[in-house]
Amino acid sequence: MAKNAKDKDDGYIPLMDRFKAWWEGIEPEAVVRAKSPDQATQPPAPSPAAIEVDIQESEGPLKSWPESRLSFCRRLWGEEFEVVRPGGTEFAVRLVRPMALTSENSLLDLSAGLGGGARQIHKELGIWVTGLERNPELAQHGAAISKAKGLDRKVPITAYEPNKVSLKPASFDGALIRETLYAIPEREAFLTKVAEAIRPFGHIVLTDLMLAKEVYRTDRAIGAWLKRDAADAAPDIVGSYAPLLESLGFDVRVEEDESDVYHSYVLQGWAAFVDGMSRDDLDRDFVSRMMIEAEYWVYLMRALQAGKVRLIRVHGIKKP
């Protein structure tokens, strides 16, 4: 970043163009030509892989949530919605709406994050939501936001460990689990506890990242994604959850591939983010954080586009 916009004549391509090229898997010159056809004869530019990243965290899973990452991801996925995952609050509300719950009902959200989705569910549908979040840092921030909004009773957010979570039997009318199960080793034991906490005729809706085929467990692209996700992540195979929920007493009404929707949420988030960047943003720390987050999503989106990973939605109703 030693050069500026005035230096284009020497073959330099701005970082935002190089980032777009890296993200899309194309040559940076193609981005320049698309923006300005008269620059088609420009000299070769630096490889997008040459974008330098300082933070060592890029070599392993993205586990911690320092303030720099929290601020970045809130900006990426929707600052005003207080979320740190694709789809904002829109996806959360859409997943819960078919449960047909009201202000007389209670919902257990086991993937609460900062609680933005849970608070929006309460706002739009009137449901009392108990938010649980695996990451203690996110849970702490989420609890503070709920308290600041006067929602610490109607939408409390607390941290939990899946293998130690204690849930009162038959205490909820619905449960929501978003993109979480694939990183929980003891999934069946965990879902058994959740099932016991749901009242008869209550609902469970889960979305999870799953492998299209068993053979993909050893796929290098899948390995690259999981290396940056969680050390204990081991996605299940598409079709695994319906029989498991049936065995736990649910009538599974929906098992649907939501990969295209999820893919569009991710692309929309990153497109809006990149378009909203200014030159003032591009200090070294910001660029490093951007590339680390983007690296994770590039690996996942390429696996999704190749059909190796799918995002599956399952909706079941507990039998009496």
Side-chain angles (χ1 to χ4, degrees), residues 185-224:
E186 303 297 330
R187 280 187 284 272
E188 185 170 350
F190 175 70
L191 283 173
T192 299
K193 292 180 182 180
V194 175
E196 292 171 351
I198 299 176
R199 299 183 178 110
F201 302 107
H203 300 251
I204 184 169
V205 171
L206 64 88
T207 60
D208 208 28
L209 293 161
M210 309 187 77
L211 300 182
K213 298 178 181 179
E214 180 69 36
V215 68
Y216 293 140
R217 287 201 188 280
T218 56
D219 185 88
R220 291 182 65 183
I222 301 296

Side-chain angles (χ1 to χ4, degrees), residues 227-272:
K227 180 182 178 182
R228 286 155 181 80
D229 192 299
D232 52 0
D236 226 323
I237 308 301
V238 171
S240 301
Y241 287 135
L244 175 54
L245 290 179
E246 290 280 0
S247 72
L248 293 175
F250 288 90
D251 177 12
V252 176
R253 302 292 181 88
V254 176
E255 186 177 21
E256 192 169 297
D257 192 321
E258 294 268 4
S259 301
D260 290 344
V261 174
Y262 191 68
H263 184 259
S264 68
Y265 280 141
V266 174
L267 293 189
Q268 287 168 15
W270 276 102

Side-chain angles (χ1 to χ4, degrees), residues 94-113:
R94 184 168 74 81
L95 291 171
V96 171
R97 197 177 292 277
M99 296 184 189
L101 303 181
T102 69
S103 58
E104 301 297 317
N105 302 124
S106 60
L107 175 73
L108 176 64
D109 183 351
L110 290 146
S111 45

